[in-house]
Every structure is written in C-alpha cells, then in structure tokens.
Amino acid sequence: MDGKQEIYDSMKGHNVHISYTGVFDGQILSVIAKNIEYSLSQDPIVNKKMFKVFLELAQNISYYSDEKLAVNKHEESGVGTITIQEFKNHFVFATGNIISKVDTEKIERKCKKINSLTREDLRKFKREQRKLPAGAKGGGNIGLIQVALTSENPIDYKLIPLEDGKHFYIIATKVDKF
Amino acid sequence: MEDIVIKGSHKDYFIPSVNFNSQTGICELGGESFLEDTVEFYNPIISWLTEFTENVKKPLAFIIKLTYFNTSTSRCILDILNVLKDYEEAGGEVVINWHYDENDIDMEEDIEDYMIDTGLDINLIAFSNGTE
C-alpha cells in the first residue's frame, strides 16, 4: 500500500462502533468522547478507560499529524482516522495519521520503550517525561505512556512508508472488558 | 485579591470548575479538564496561587475533585503542586485533599506519583459510584 486513502480504507472492519476520518479538532473530540464515556460498555470502569484512551490517542493526532486543516478559521488541527471495534473480550482502538520523517524514528523508539517497561517503570518514565518541557499546546511526551497505563495492554504500531520520507503511523491498543 | 470562579462546562472541550477564595483560603478544582490551550487556562490559576502564597499568606486548602484530566493538564497540576510545596517549605500552612472514584486506579496512581514528584502529603479521599 502506498496511498493514504487505501490505508484509511483498509482500517475499516467488522463490529465497528465508531469510525471517524477527518480533522481532529476539540469540538469533534468532545462529542465522540462523551459518546464513548456513556454508551459503549455496560461497565462504567471500562467506559472510563475507553474515554481516556480515546482522548489521548485523538489528541496525538490533533497535535502531531503531519496533515493539518483549519476549522472555522480557528487554529489548524491534525487530520487522521480512528476506529473502535468490539470483540468478545475486548475493544480495539486503532488510529492512523501521517507523520513527518523527523518524527518517525522518535515515535518508533518511544513505542518500543513503552512496550518493554513494567507498569511501575512506565509510571517512572511518565514522571520523568512530565518534567521535560511541554510540546505543542502543552502536550507531548506522555500521552502514549498514559494510553499504555490506562489500557493495561501493549501498543501495537506500524509505520508504512509514504512519499517524501513521511510515514503513515498506525497504533492499535486493546481495552479489556473485564 | 480577586477570587477566581469558573463554571465548568462540557460544550466544546471540557472546562474544569475553579473556585478559589482568597478570604477563606479554600481553592477547589473539579470536573473534567481537556482544553483548547491548557497552558493559557492554567497560567492565571498558577499566578493566583503564587500571589496568594507570597502576599496573603493565610492557611490554604487545595481541594481537587477532577474526574478526568488529560496529560497536558497533568503538567499544569504538577506546576500547581510545586507552588504549594514552595509555600509549605516557606512556612505556609497547606492541606491538599484529592477526591477520586475508588474504581479509578489510574487516578489513585496519579496522586501517588504527584506525592513522589513533589514530596507533598496529599489526602486521598475515595468515593464510590459517583457520589461521596
């Protein structure tokens, strides 16, 4: 696959509760987050986890997608895609967006590190990163660590090369139902 | 100094409720925090606390009832707690009560991590089923 539309299309699947492709601005994120918080699962603990995982993954796209659009003449927000699928024992969150050549290596290193750490070490890593200077809009550095902590599952990631050294960055993470 | 009163909302983004009272020294932060510009929102709050600790110098009770905050907000909370720590070290009287859902393990760990980061004592107050 080399075109981003093909990749977006390939991310659609069965048992999809929510699927959104477009600009990730705050208003849209708020609406989707509220739906997740109150409607996806019967278990409020699972719903809260999904609400938190969604917001962190969605904010990553909003801040760091290399493809950006302005909404209502406001500041630009990132463009990308998210799907939430339900399986027997878990939900899967998958996001995709384009990232710059510069970010690719950094992101791959970070995902590998997160997946190699125990929960205690992840918490320590989060505390260390939180002390570093903030990224865009005060974000950066700890969103993905929080996703791993909240979901209590590793982060599956894939980097698909596009033209100009850019990559299509896919993350998938599970939230268990129990 | 003027009090800060911000009504929380869920319309666009999630704006936390803020109620800082310079007469009583009771400062409450509650609701959910996911903002368009986190730093822009929290900077005046941090400045207010700094002014209170430098000029008013009364006992201060900081009450947190946030049910959700994103990772950008978590940096600002650390900045707030560091102001409170400096005040305590300078002889100020500080009490911090953090109310959280007993099922929210992430939140409980977050509070513990803030205690490790700042060296502050934070009173953990667990509630169940969305009520206290």
Side-chain angles (χ1 to χ4, degrees), chain A residues 114-155:
Chain A
I114 287 171
N115 286 341
S116 73
L117 297 176
T118 63
R119 187 171 187 85
E120 281 311 305
D121 287 339
L122 265 179
R123 286 172 66 182
K124 195 175 163 199
F125 185 39
K126 181 178 146 187
R127 291 199 302 272
E128 287 164 5
Q129 294 287 304
R130 187 160 58 193
K131 288 176 186 165
L132 299 176
K137 297 180 183 176
N141 297 327
I142 50 178
L144 215 49
I145 305 171
Q146 190 61 54
V147 167
L149 282 167
T150 304
S151 68
E152 299 179 79
N153 276 300
I155 292 164

Side-chain angles (χ1 to χ4, degrees), chain A residues 42-68:
Chain A
Q42 301 299 314
D43 184 339
I45 301 170
V46 174
N47 276 337
K48 189 64 178 278
K49 277 178 184 284
M50 292 202 288
F51 168 84
K52 292 174 76 169
V53 166
F54 168 76
L55 275 177
E56 289 304 335
L57 289 175
Q59 283 168 89
N60 265 348
I61 294 174
S62 179
Y63 297 161
Y64 302 114
S65 174
D66 196 57
E67 188 181 3
K68 296 223 183 319

